[in-house]
Amino acid sequence: RHICDLYVNALRCYQAGRLIICVDEKTGMQILQRKYPTHRAQPGQPEKREHEYIRHGVRALLASFVVPTGQVLWNCGVTRTSEDFVAHLQAVVTQLPPMARYDWVLDNLNTHWSLEVCRLVASWCDVPFAAKDLACGAHRRAFLSDPTQRHIFHFTPTHGSWLNQVELWFSVLARRFLKRGDFCSGEDFETQL
């Protein structure tokens, strides 16, 4: 209910200086090159896509969906470590408008509440960072969810990651881009993305 209330009030919050952002990752995106060209649909003929392919590795996509504006900010790489997540958050914040408060919706993946993320949020919020006080995950999630800070993390319930609105964008991406894709390299994949 809490996360749904954020979405319902996203535009009102935005007008009041509060921005709601959904963050998640799509991992294991295969970079496939069709062995033979796809035959486009013709009148009375469906598209014929070759099932044989050549693999060119995988990519992990970190994406942030700005709820009131629909803007999607993303980073693509070969890993999805805590360092990758921190780098993504830093890149996103530099592209967002200055606001009084930022509300981040994310699932409970351990990279989302790592010590590195806590260090970053502490620096953003100008609050002391004491690693010894954040030794366990529960303490880190509580620190990141502190409603008195400028950047607040809202974690979806267990088995409720579907509440994260960036998942809707991932679904469209999978249907329109990944499923139909034909990429000759990792660089080609990122350029087309």
Side-chain angles (χ1 to χ4, degrees):
R1 182 179 297 237
H2 171 69
I3 290 172
C4 290
D5 285 343
L6 287 173
Y7 297 152
V8 168
N9 296 304
L11 189 55
R12 187 177 309 119
C13 289
Y14 182 58
Q15 293 165 343
R18 183 175 169 192
L19 193 59
I20 290 117
I21 309 134
C22 297
V23 185
D24 205 1
E25 56 276 311
K26 183 161 187 63
T27 59
M29 296 186 304
Q30 294 188 60
I31 302 169
L32 305 177
Q33 179 179 12
R34 302 291 168 192
K35 199 167 184 179
Y36 303 103
T38 297
H39 296 286
R40 300 286 175 209
Q42 302 290 325
Q45 296 277 347
E47 178 183 77
K48 293 180 184 173
R49 190 172 340 127
E50 178 58 40
H51 69 278
E52 291 186 62
Y53 53 83
I54 302 163
R55 290 179 189 258
H56 294 290
V58 295
R59 291 293 184 273
L61 179 69
L62 295 166
S64 292
F65 174 68
V66 183
V67 177
T69 67
Q71 181 182 20
V72 177
L73 305 165
W74 55 273
N75 299 85
C76 196
V78 292
T79 60
R80 64 169 179 101
T81 64
S82 292
E83 292 79 15
D84 295 325
F85 189 65
V86 166
H88 172 72
L89 293 177
Q90 289 173 317
V92 167
V93 165
T94 63
Q95 298 177 63
L96 295 176
M99 304 295 269
R101 182 169 159 175
Y102 300 88
D103 291 273
W104 303 83
V105 176
L106 20 67
D107 62 25
N108 286 282
L109 185 67
N110 61 351
T111 57
H112 296 170
W113 45 266
S114 68
L115 204 53
E116 293 86 3
V117 172
C118 292
R119 183 178 288 112
L120 176 66
V121 171
S123 71
W124 284 344
C125 299
D126 293 323
V127 296
F129 175 76
K132 63 179 174 20
D133 295 336
L134 302 170
C136 71
H139 293 148
R140 292 179 198 155
R141 285 189 300 275
F143 170 79
L144 293 167
S145 301
D146 183 348
T148 64
Q149 296 181 159
R150 186 171 178 222
H151 290 265
I152 304 162
F153 282 32
H154 304 271
F155 294 100
T156 59
T158 305
H159 307 296
S161 61
W162 55 271
L163 286 168
N164 190 329
Q165 287 193 350
V166 77
E167 294 289 350
L168 299 171
W169 187 77
F170 285 153
S171 175
V172 172
L173 179 77
R175 285 192 318 273
R176 294 191 179 176
F177 179 72
L178 297 175
K179 182 179 176 184
R180 305 176 64 82
D182 188 3
F183 315 105
C184 61
S185 67
E187 294 77 26
D188 179 41
F189 176 85
E190 291 184 29
T191 299
Q192 289 189 46
L193 180 61

